[in-house]
Amino acid sequence: MIKKGSVNYNTKAFTTKNVDKERSRNNVEICHLDIKKVHCQNRALKAAQGE
């Protein structure tokens, strides 16, 4: 279920048994970006900068 780079895990799209669902509503999501897009953009930026 949880895999390397899992967007569902990172965004807490599911709730595991050890999580208090009543308190989960207090969680704040600072930023939600597509991991694959961000990674590709970072690669392109580094390539353009000669890194």
Side-chain angles (χ1 to χ4, degrees):
M1 178 169 47
I2 299 173
K3 297 179 180 178
K4 183 179 179 182
S6 171
V7 174
N8 284 334
Y9 175 76
N10 292 338
T11 60
K12 310 298 184 247
F14 61 90
T15 305
T16 57
K17 293 178 185 179
N18 65 334
V19 171
D20 182 352
K21 293 178 185 178
E22 290 297 315
R23 293 176 55 196
S24 292
R25 62 191 161 111
N26 297 328
N27 292 347
V28 176
E29 188 173 311
I30 303 297
C31 184
H32 180 85
L33 300 171
D34 184 324
I35 293 171
K36 291 179 182 177
K37 285 183 182 178
V38 171
H39 180 71
C40 289
Q41 289 171 348
N42 285 343
R43 269 180 148 174
L45 181 60
K46 285 183 179 182
Q49 293 173 343
E51 292 182 27

